[in-house]
């Protein structure tokens, strides 16, 4: 039986693997068969990861993280977890190949999946003009007219990237201002090929075998109009990937995995969660990496306590850094600090 | 045996005139998910040499075929039989999911 299995291979999973490996926990990383490296594998320039002043390509960053984890002895499996049993002292993970692995602890870092628009035509035209991956599919829209739906950093990055190919890129956004960072906004605003369509949502995608337009609906007065397009790129955010743990771990109202305070401890002793799957708010490569660190340290403490007590529940109780700390000023007011 | 490459020049013979089912993987070097799914397709080819032929078509080098088959999203995997497209799989998927999609050919 292993000490720890890490599920996921994005910045959270690989950073947890680096820490766990350096703590001699000999982690097994189930990295997935076709999404190794996670979401950054589909991005181009990463300009906000500290330590790379000239930026780094997303895939290069992930290859380096994996190499760093392997250097300290993490074992990487290119397979997918299809079933998890997290209750009790022995956690088991069944893989797509049929193999079953057991461990005393699990770090769950499965990230998030592209959110769908959930409108008619989307499923039918997915792969026929509707895309979630600008770096994969932009090439096929040379000199075409396309649109990006969304208002965050991903939408701005995709829109800007797609102007390399397309003759015109609309950005369709529900509101009249963007959530994206200032630098990404300014880049998009300065690009002559990009035109913003504000206060508008996509009500339907038109076309039989291929996209030939969208039906737009104003979020202000509900009026509709058609916009002819050759392609639609969806960048409206992500949903935490929790299907493996439904009914096994507590979730938050946002759908992320619930954890104790600032820790990575889930509702199940010995199971820790990190990265986008616990974070409805920040969702950056570097916050995911930090979160992976927390999970590895929590797992390390848990395993040390487990070795002493032999009881996962007791080990859980004597762990550190679980609850949100109270403010020193609050304590001073109530006299607790003085006591 | 791993998946071999095909091109516009050999398409007719490799794919359209082929005897059994041929899975063509439309891919490009700059497509991350394509690089991920390539070894999975190699494994499927190696495990089923008699049942299916897996070929790779680089869309950068063979844009005519990408256009002809209306490829707008890669990886796109199309199974040809008697010159006709029978099945289309779009996007990188885990091996077991691709095997399910190809169950009719791998049985």
């Amino acid at each position: 039986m292993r000490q720890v299995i890490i599920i996921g291979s994005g910045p959270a999973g690989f950073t947890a693997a680096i820490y766990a490996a350096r703590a001699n926990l000999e982690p097994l990383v189930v990295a997935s068969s076709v999404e190794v490296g996670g979401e950054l594998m589909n991005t181009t320039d990463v300009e906000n990861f500290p330590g790379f002043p000239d930026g780094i390509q997303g895939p290069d960053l992930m290859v380096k993280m994996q190499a760093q984890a392997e250097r300290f002895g993490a074992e990487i499996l290119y397979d997918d977890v299809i079933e998890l049993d997290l209750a009790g002292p022995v956690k088991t993970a069944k893989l797509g190949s049929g193999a079953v692995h057991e461990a005393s602890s699990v770090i769950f870092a499965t990230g998030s999946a592209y959110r769908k628009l959930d409108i008619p035509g989307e499923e039918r035209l997915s792969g026929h003009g509707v895309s979630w991956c600008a770096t994969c599919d932009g090439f096929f829209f040379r000199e075409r007219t396309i649109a990006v739906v969304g208002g965050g950093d991903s939408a701005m990055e995709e829109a800007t990237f797609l102007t390399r190919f397309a003759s015109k890129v609309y950005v369709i956004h529900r509101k009249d201002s963007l959530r994206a960072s200032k630098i990404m906004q300014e880049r998009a605003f300065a690009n002559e090929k990009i035109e913003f369509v504000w206060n508008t949502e996509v009500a339907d995608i038109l076309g039989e075998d291929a996209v030939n337009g969208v039906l737009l609906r104003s979020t202000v007065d509900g009026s509709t109009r058609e916009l002819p397009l050759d392609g639609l790129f969806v960048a409206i955010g992500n949903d935490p990937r929790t299907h493996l743990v439904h009914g096994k771990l507590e979730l938050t109202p946002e759908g992320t995995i619930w954890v104790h305070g600032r820790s990575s401890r889930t509702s199940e002793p010995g199971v820790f969660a990190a990265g986008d799957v616990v974070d409805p708010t920040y969702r950056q490569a570097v916050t995911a990496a930090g979160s992976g660190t927390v999970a590895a340290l929590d797992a390390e403490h848990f395993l040390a306590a487990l070795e002493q007590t032999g009881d996962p529940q007791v080990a859980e109780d004597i762990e550190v850094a679980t609850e949100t700390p109270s403010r020193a000023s609050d304590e001073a007011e109530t006299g607790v600090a003085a006591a | 045996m791993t998946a071999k490459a095909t091109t516009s020049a050999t398409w007719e013979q490799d794919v359209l005139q082929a005897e059994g089912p041929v899975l063509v993987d439309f891919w490009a070097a700059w497509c991350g998910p394509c690089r991920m799914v390539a070894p999975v397709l190699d494994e499927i080819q190696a495990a089923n040499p008699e049942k299916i032929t897996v070929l790779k078509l680089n869309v950068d080098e063979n844009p005519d075929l990408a256009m002809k088959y209306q490829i707008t999203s890669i990886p796109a995997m199309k199974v040809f039989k008697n010159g006709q497209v029978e099945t289309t799989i779009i996007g990188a998927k885990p091996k077991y999911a691709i095997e399910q999609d190809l169950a009719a050919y791998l049985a």
Side-chain angles (χ1 to χ4, degrees):
Chain A
M1 186 166 75
R2 299 239 172 200
Q3 300 209 70
V4 59
I5 295 174
I6 297 168
I7 304 168
S9 57
F14 276 145
T15 306
I18 292 166
Y19 273 77
R22 294 190 76 244
N24 288 331
L25 299 179
E26 299 173 333
L28 177 71
V29 181
V30 185
S32 99
S33 57
V34 292
E35 292 181 279
V36 185
E39 204 183 331
L40 281 185
M41 298 304 283
N42 293 332
T43 63
T44 52
D45 288 320
V46 177
E47 295 179 332
N48 53 11
F49 202 92
F52 298 95
D54 302 321
I56 181 168
Q57 295 291 303
D60 293 344
L61 179 61
M62 295 321 299
V63 166
K64 283 176 189 286
M65 282 194 202
Q66 177 172 345
Q68 196 171 349
E70 288 181 305
R71 178 183 156 205
F72 297 109
E75 184 185 341
I76 318 284
L77 275 187
Y78 301 105
D79 204 338
D80 309 277
V81 174
I82 56 170
E83 213 179 302
L84 270 178
D85 187 356
L86 300 174
V90 181
K91 324 291 182 193
T92 61
K94 189 176 171 196
L95 308 188
S97 63
V100 175
H101 293 271
E102 296 183 337
S104 303
S105 68
V106 166
I107 295 174
F108 195 77
T110 51
S112 54
Y114 301 119
R115 187 173 296 159
K116 296 192 170 179
L117 288 165
D118 209 15
I119 55 175
E122 182 179 30
E123 200 63 41
R124 175 169 44 92
L125 293 166
S126 175
H128 303 282
V130 179
S131 172
W132 283 265
C133 180
T135 56
C136 309
D137 302 339
F139 171 83
F140 300 105
F141 295 90
R142 245 175 240 283
E143 299 306 317
R144 304 286 184 85
T145 300
I146 58 181
V148 174
V149 194
D153 273 347
S154 302
M156 294 312 108
E157 190 197 338
E158 295 210 347
T160 306
F161 175 80
L162 288 166
T163 58
R164 293 187 199 180
F165 307 100
S167 52
K168 173 92 186 176
V169 179
Y170 292 99
V171 174
I172 302 167
H173 187 47
R174 306 168 63 116
K175 298 181 182 158
D176 61 2
S177 63
L178 299 169
R179 193 175 64 245
S181 59
K182 274 280 174 287
I183 188 168
M184 300 299 285
Q185 293 196 21
E186 280 163 15
R187 235 175 252 172
F189 289 147
N191 194 313
E192 287 177 355
K193 286 184 175 179
I194 297 179
E195 180 178 335
F196 283 81
V197 183
W198 300 106
N199 296 313
T200 300
E201 58 190 10
V202 179
D204 198 2
I205 306 170
L206 310 172
E208 269 314 304
D209 305 321
V211 171
N212 60 32
V214 289
L215 182 67
L216 299 178
R217 182 168 53 218
S218 164
T219 56
V220 178
D221 59 16
S223 62
T224 58
R225 68 180 171 104
E226 286 187 15
L227 177 68
L229 290 176
D230 301 304
L232 185 71
F233 287 78
V234 184
I236 55 168
N238 295 50
D239 290 313
R241 225 184 305 222
T242 55
H243 60 277
L244 284 169
V245 298
H246 283 172
K248 296 170 184 171
L249 299 178
E250 296 275 354
L251 302 180
T252 66
E254 288 91 5
T256 52
I257 293 177
W258 179 86
V259 289
H260 287 267
R262 296 181 302 122
S263 79
S264 65
R265 281 176 44 191
T266 68
S267 54
E268 189 66 48
V271 180
F272 307 87
D276 279 8
V277 81
V278 296
D279 180 4
T281 315
Y282 304 106
R283 305 193 348 89
Q284 303 298 304
V286 69
T287 53
S291 168
T293 304
V294 168
L297 294 175
D298 284 348
E300 187 185 351
H301 288 136
F302 168 81
L303 290 163
L306 182 65
E307 198 175 342
Q308 281 174 18
T309 65
D311 180 348
Q313 192 64 55
V314 178
E316 179 92 347
D317 290 341
I318 60 177
E319 233 191 305
V320 295
T322 52
E323 307 307 329
T324 306
S326 54
R327 287 183 296 191
S329 58
D330 293 343
E331 292 184 353
E333 279 166 25
T334 56
V336 174
Chain B
M1 184 169 105
T2 56
K4 294 197 176 76
T6 185
T7 65
S8 301
T10 57
W11 182 259
E12 178 76 26
Q13 181 189 343
D14 286 349
V15 180
L16 302 182
Q17 305 293 336
E19 285 218 356
V22 179
L23 182 150
V24 180
D25 172 28
F26 294 79
W27 74 285
W30 33 260
C31 159
C34 298
R35 291 198 297 273
M36 297 290 168
V37 85
V40 169
L41 296 176
D42 281 340
E43 285 172 28
I44 289 174
Q45 176 67 99
N48 303 280
E50 317 270 294
K51 293 173 184 159
I52 197 163
T53 305
V54 181
L55 297 174
K56 300 176 191 201
L57 183 88
N58 186 316
V59 296
D60 250 343
E61 294 162 6
N62 303 280
D64 52 326
L65 286 171
M67 196 173 285
K68 181 176 178 197
Y69 290 97
Q70 298 182 321
I71 305 295
T72 58
S73 194
I74 54 174
M77 293 150 270
K78 289 181 182 286
V79 181
F80 290 80
K81 210 168 166 187
N82 303 320
Q84 300 294 315
V85 177
E86 278 197 350
T87 302
T88 298
I89 304 169
I90 291 172
K93 294 187 190 184
K95 186 181 176 190
Y96 66 85
I98 294 178
E99 285 174 337
Q100 276 169 14
D101 290 338
L102 298 177
Y105 307 104
L106 303 182

